[in-house]
Amino acid sequence: MALSRADIVQAALHLLDEVGLEGLSLRGLATKLGVKAATLYWHVKNKQELIDEMAAAMMATAWQHDVPKPTEPWDAWLTWVARTQRAGMLSRRDGALLAVRSSQTDDQWEAMEGLLHLLQRDGLSLDDAMHGVGALTNFVLGSTLEEQQAAGRDEAVANTRQPGTFPLSARALTGAKDFDAMFDHGLALILDGMRQRVKDS
């Protein structure tokens, strides 16, 4: 049966789970599919195009769940966007790194346009809206990237802590293992700051 572009992307995502983004190659993907590497170039012109397609496919399912109504306030929308982005990236090994290395798509620009419209509708200036969305995006990508990298670190790193010498740091680091709580805390801080901007405007 002939390969489709969708078949190749799904196989690439499965390979990503096995070897990580640094281990992903078109040659390795061709081997997994049982074809010659040249066959893949009929569907994707290079690794960057494959990464772009993989990132889009990774997020596609996540975006379909629990979408707020158009009448919902801006902070409900940004909360959904942040949590959905994180869930999508956590669904795959190196998902955050995959998202960072992917190119901006027309769909993403369209989503940005819609968010900026909502934020302006509810009282934020265009500059505050853009800076707020940028801060939120950077936080989601950065925190998810850190979470995925921490999961793969050698446990020996944790054993280098000196709780007797640095008791406050040791207690804080113990709490830092709860990535869900850390994410919710950071998200709340950003949204609270944006809400204050609305009040001040």
Side-chain angles (χ1 to χ4, degrees), residues 31-46:
T31 299
K32 183 177 181 65
L33 289 167
V35 299
K36 294 182 179 179
T39 302
L40 299 182
Y41 289 103
W42 285 99
H43 302 277
V44 289
K45 62 184 178 182
N46 52 40

Side-chain angles (χ1 to χ4, degrees), residues 60-144:
T61 301
W63 289 125
Q64 297 172 12
H65 296 293
D66 304 320
V67 183
K69 297 177 181 178
T71 53
E72 292 286 331
W74 65 268
D75 49 355
W77 273 93
L78 287 190
T79 298
W80 174 77
V81 167
R83 289 179 174 160
T84 299
Q85 283 183 327
R86 178 175 181 252
M89 290 185 289
L90 289 177
S91 70
R92 294 290 180 178
R93 177 178 173 180
D94 287 343
L97 190 58
L98 180 69
V100 168
R101 294 192 182 177
S102 65
S103 304
Q104 199 81 359
T105 66
D106 288 344
D107 286 344
Q108 288 172 313
W109 282 116
E110 184 178 351
M112 173 68 77
E113 191 75 9
L115 284 174
L116 293 177
H117 174 75
L118 280 171
L119 292 166
Q120 281 198 293
R121 180 200 68 185
D122 289 352
L124 280 163
S125 70
L126 181 58
D127 282 345
D128 281 344
M130 187 65 193
H131 293 157
V133 171
L136 185 64
T137 299
N138 289 339
F139 165 69
V140 174
L141 286 172
S143 63
T144 309

